[in-house]
Amino acid sequence: MLSFETVSQSRCFGGTQFVYRHVSRETSTPMRLAVFVPPQAKDRKVPVAWFLSGLTCTEENFTVKAGAQRVASELGLMLVAPDTSPRGKSVPDDPEGAYDFGLGAGFYVDALQEPWAKNYRMRSYIERELPKLIAENLPADMSRQGITGHSMGGHGALTIALRNPERFKAVSAFAPISSPMNCPWGEKALSNYIGPDRSAWRDYDACALIEGGARLPDLLVDQGTADSFLESQLKPQMLEEACARAGQPLTLRRQEGYDHSYFFIASFIEDHLRWHAKRLGVA
Ligand SMILES: N[C@@H](CCC(=O)N[C@@H](CS)C(=O)NCC(=O)O)C(=O)O
């Protein structure tokens, strides 16, 4: 059995905040992830809330900035925050070192193009490899999982859930990239990782998946109105229109004056965790 190596562990709200490292078969690299194990896990397996982070992030940003542990401890939720890309000297990066592609910008896809295809396998990492490792190594009730994320990670949460509706009982997002096929961040990532055939991009676009018939019981999305990426990259109206056309239930909350930062996430993470807990059968 492959196992996690503990990088650090700290007592937090009666539970424990861990950082783990393990060797990933999918990315062919060591990977780090942060896991908060709530106090309830002493007695029983606990439901799991995944948080997928955005561009430039590691497992650390959410863990140290969102302030999610207090509510997760109260609700008995395990929080899993993976890294956003493979890393290491042998892993190719954006040729110009740009922040929006390559390291810190895996976009939760399985790359098909060289030189990315060997390591950039974040879709299979999150969909297959990591859940298996979590189930084997931690007191997690894998029959009760929810997923959320921010920006690129919001796109990741929505698309992974839409492709795997049986796995997730609760889905939400903070300022997600609504349609990577229709914004500069997404077009750059998908053309490089997947290639020029835009029909192959649809699996990685929440709006296209909904248009193609994918459905979830409901969705919660928060979006700050003072987010500097709102018009150019995130385009929540595209998700709103796709959901309305398809009859996909969506609660989209435009949060007045909030920007794209973790101050926005910290302000609404409690609402999201309570949304998840309710759907994961937490009393
Ligand atoms: N201002 C950033 C743009 C990237 C960005 O805003 N990243 C968001 C996710 S898309 C984030 O969470 N950044 C890390 C943080 O705020 O801790 C940069 O130019 O590096």
Side-chain angles (χ1 to χ4, degrees):
M1 182 177 90
L2 285 171
S3 62
F4 293 142
E5 177 193 340
T6 302
V7 176
S8 67
Q9 72 180 80
S10 304
R11 181 52 48 105
C12 185
F13 291 102
T16 309
Q17 180 63 59
F18 291 94
V19 175
Y20 295 120
R21 177 167 45 213
H22 71 102
V23 174
S24 165
R25 287 203 186 116
E26 290 294 347
T27 67
S28 308
T29 63
M31 292 292 287
R32 287 162 72 114
L33 67 149
V35 179
F36 173 72
V37 178
Q40 293 82 347
K42 282 200 264 317
D43 306 320
R44 56 187 146 84
K45 290 187 173 185
V46 292
V48 182
W50 294 73
F51 187 94
L52 303 184
S53 299
L55 293 166
T56 75
C57 291
T58 68
E59 77 292 341
E60 191 179 28
N61 301 65
F62 171 74
T63 305
V64 304
K65 289 180 162 181
Q69 292 91 346
R70 180 185 58 79
V71 181
S73 172
E74 178 202 317
L75 297 170
L77 291 177
M78 182 180 290
L79 301 174
V80 176
D83 201 351
T84 57
S85 77
R87 293 181 196 271
K89 283 204 176 66
S90 63
V91 177
D93 192 8
D94 182 283
E96 269 114 49
Y99 75 91
D100 58 1
F101 183 75
L103 300 182
F107 266 87
Y108 307 98
V109 306
D110 282 351
L112 301 175
Q113 301 261 103
E114 295 307 333
W116 322 107
K118 177 171 183 237
N119 305 114
Y120 285 83
R121 296 188 50 78
M122 291 301 289
R123 171 184 182 167
S124 289
Y125 177 66
I126 305 289
E127 285 188 352
R128 293 209 302 267
E129 184 177 19
L130 201 47
K132 194 162 177 291
L133 288 173
I134 303 253
E136 285 170 1
N137 286 280
L138 297 171
D141 178 354
M142 302 305 276
S143 70
R144 293 192 290 162
Q145 297 182 67
I147 190 164
T148 183
H150 174 223
S151 195
M152 173 185 75
H155 137 75
L158 295 177
T159 54
I160 288 170
L162 284 161
R163 291 193 307 262
N164 300 277
E166 69 299 334
R167 179 174 152 199
F168 297 103
K169 293 191 161 59
V171 184
S172 73
F174 297 83
I177 302 172
S178 296
S179 180
M181 297 179 74
N182 293 292
C183 73
W185 280 342
E187 290 189 285
K188 178 176 177 180
L190 296 174
S191 60
N192 282 293
Y193 289 137
I194 307 299
D197 174 11
R198 289 179 68 98
S199 68
W201 298 7
R202 295 181 65 84
D203 244 12
Y204 297 113
D205 187 292
C207 293
L209 285 165
I210 290 167
E211 193 183 287
R215 289 292 178 276
L216 293 165
D218 56 10
L219 276 173
L220 170 65
V221 172
D222 274 323
Q223 173 63 62
T225 61
D227 187 322
S228 54
F229 300 114
L230 180 60
E231 307 291 342
S232 57
Q233 307 280 3
L234 306 172
K235 307 187 183 184
Q237 70 282 1
M238 290 194 70
L239 184 64
E240 199 169 35
E241 283 159 17
C243 287
R245 274 196 303 270
Q248 164 64 52
L250 165 72
T251 303
L252 171 61
R253 307 190 305 185
R254 290 183 168 84
Q255 303 289 6
E256 193 58 37
Y258 285 85
D259 64 18
H260 197 61
S261 71
Y262 269 86
F263 295 115
F264 159 64
I265 298 173
S267 302
F268 299 105
I269 190 69
E270 177 164 356
D271 287 4
H272 284 241
L273 292 183
R274 292 195 189 284
W275 164 282
H276 284 252
K278 196 170 161 197
R279 285 156 183 80
L280 297 174
V282 176

